[in-house]
Amino acid sequence: MSTSQEMSFQRACALDDVPADQALAVTIGEYDVAIARDGEEVLAVQDLCTHAHVALSEGDVERDGGSCTIECWLHGSRFDLRTGQPSGLPATEPVATFPVEVREDGVYVDTTTTLNGATPQ
């Protein structure tokens, strides 16, 4: 990995800081990010509902079959933590999803790019 690639990932938190059934709110660069776990996998999305502009990290994280979603507590829209896609109204636009690396000393997130092509707000 080149130095410029390594510099794009920033340490967000310790792995133990990420709860099993909730999201952890962190700020990385200019973005608020919600970090959640699905088993051993760690996922990161912009911590901002695309419908109502409220913190997604304040909502519930649910696992159902192969999906893992986070709920906007204000109006009930759910977002897939892997794809960012909303699964129900009133949200219609995806939330940005960010690359995550789990390293020996913590969880690292790259907010300079998105996995799903959504532009962070």
Side-chain angles (χ1 to χ4, degrees):
M1 185 180 290
S2 74
T3 304
S4 63
Q5 287 176 323
E6 288 177 23
M7 290 177 55
S8 63
F9 279 89
Q10 295 183 38
R11 189 176 189 280
C13 60
L15 182 58
D16 289 343
D17 291 343
V18 184
D21 296 320
Q22 295 177 316
L24 175 70
V26 298
T27 300
I28 302 171
E30 64 183 283
Y31 299 113
D32 292 329
V33 177
I35 299 176
R37 285 181 160 192
D38 185 11
E40 295 300 312
E41 187 177 9
V42 179
L43 306 158
V45 298
Q46 186 173 15
D47 193 11
L48 186 66
C49 177
T50 57
H51 165 255
H53 295 92
V54 298
L56 292 174
S57 60
E58 295 178 16
D60 294 328
V61 172
E62 288 187 7
R63 288 153 200 85
D64 184 22
S67 68
C68 185
T69 61
I70 190 165
E71 180 183 34
C72 175
W73 63 269
L74 188 58
H75 294 114
S77 289
R78 299 197 74 76
F79 295 88
D80 186 293
L81 283 165
R82 287 183 181 79
T83 67
Q85 291 296 321
S87 60
L89 296 173
T92 59
E93 297 296 319
V95 66
T97 59
F98 300 111
V100 174
E101 288 184 359
V102 177
R103 301 179 186 173
E104 192 173 302
D105 65 333
V107 175
Y108 287 74
V109 178
D110 179 2
T111 59
T112 64
T113 187
T114 62
L115 295 172
N116 64 350
T119 302
Q121 301 178 22

